[in-house]
Amino acid sequence: MTKQAATKDAPIDPIALRRAFGTFVTGVTVITTREADGTPRGMTANSFTSVSLDPPLLLVCVAKSASSYAAFTAASCFAVNILHEGQVDVSATFASKAPDKFQSVNHDRVHTGAPVLTDSLTWFDCSLHDSIDAGDHAILIGEVRAFGTSPTAPLGFCRGRYASVKDPLPAGWLAAQGMIIGYLVEAGDGLLLCSDGKGGWVLPSARRRKADSQLVLDGGDALRLVPEETFLYSVFDVADSDPGHLVYRARLAGEGAAVSLPEGFRFFPIDDLPYEAIATHELRAMLRRYVQERQAGRFGIYMDSDDGGRVAMIDGQARAWLQASDQGQ
């Protein structure tokens, strides 16, 4: 084993020390923030550590020589995005001096406004808890405000190069929980959403895969629907949680009459949905597509896929199958 010690005449060799630090196998993160004008900034870093569970704290170190140093030390929030084994290109992009590093990655605002890379292994959206000057780096301690994770294998780094990490999932990690059945329920120019109990909004959900004349909500209350106008609209997974999503579009029956809604349910105008309070990026994207298709009067069915999904457009008005098959003979 090579040994080095500082003496009065021979200080620690920084290059040798860096190599010694590099023998510690780490993950790879991209840390992100925004400048005062909203411009997203990001850089690759592997100096990431969990600090505390109560309060939920973590830290990252930013070199004073980094081009994003001023942006990170001036910001009130930042995100830490841990990369998975398929994101070597993302790591390289954010380690480069590319002018628009965010162009090739999916990112979104979740809680603080810092850019969250939604395809990463794990992300932490943080408000700044403290900033500490430490030699040629600044230590940023963040308080976790939101986070998400997935079962993908992590991207490793050791001795200045990427390392493969054998990562069998422990038993019970993100165990399957079936499908979440959501409904886009319209009444007039409104869309029904329900409170998630955390200040946000989600779609109404039900236990059955398809409602006919009524939709029995998870709380036991029921809404009367027009059965002829209930169709499958979207099938997708959410990276940070295991259940998949089946989403149907439907119309409330008797729209002219006063509708008594259960507590926590509310109709929002179609052109004024609370996107910033919607739980996930995937749900926000689906709602925006739904609004666009509703305005065009031409709906599609979305199916999730690794390259961003597929949409099959549906032309014409719905007809009874017997009527359509008779005309096709």
Side-chain angles (χ1 to χ4, degrees), residues 194-202 264:
C194 64
S195 169
D196 64 0
K198 305 173 185 178
W201 296 91
V202 295

Side-chain angles (χ1 to χ4, degrees), residues 33-192:
T33 191
R34 291 186 188 274
E35 296 191 42
D37 63 0
T39 302
R41 297 298 297 268
M43 57 180 282
T44 300
N46 61 351
S47 54
F48 159 76
T49 305
S50 59
V51 174
S52 169
L53 294 177
D54 186 16
L57 302 177
L58 56 76
L59 69 79
V60 292
C61 297
V62 181
K64 293 179 179 178
S65 59
S67 59
S68 297
Y69 174 80
F72 277 100
T73 53
S76 61
C77 61
F78 63 91
V80 178
N81 307 272
I82 302 176
L83 303 186
H84 60 67
E85 60 183 356
Q87 292 184 302
V88 171
D89 57 334
V90 176
S91 173
T93 297
F94 279 87
S96 73
K97 298 185 182 298
D100 189 357
K101 300 178 181 180
F102 291 86
Q103 186 175 9
S104 60
V105 296
N106 294 326
H107 61 282
D108 199 6
R109 297 171 183 259
V110 176
H111 184 89
T112 67
V116 167
L117 307 189
T118 53
D119 295 333
S120 56
L121 168 68
T122 299
W123 53 264
F124 302 95
D125 191 3
C126 306
S127 58
L128 183 65
H129 179 78
D130 200 1
S131 178
I132 302 171
D133 185 274
D136 56 6
H137 281 66
I139 300 172
L140 303 182
I141 300 176
E143 181 169 358
V144 179
R145 299 296 185 177
F147 69 97
T149 190
S150 72
T152 318
L155 178 63
F157 195 78
C158 183
R159 291 193 171 100
R161 59 185 178 181
Y162 297 109
S164 177
V165 179
K166 293 183 179 180
D167 183 44
L169 284 178
W173 181 266
L174 291 178
Q177 301 176 36
M179 299 292 286
I180 294 176
I181 316 301
Y183 276 83
L184 294 154
V185 180
E186 285 189 13
D189 290 323
L191 185 70
L192 184 64

Side-chain angles (χ1 to χ4, degrees), residues 17 20 87 97 142 156 214 267 269 272 288 308:
L17 181 62
Q87 292 184 302
K97 298 185 182 298
Q214 68 175 6
F267 277 102
D272 192 27
R288 288 191 173 101

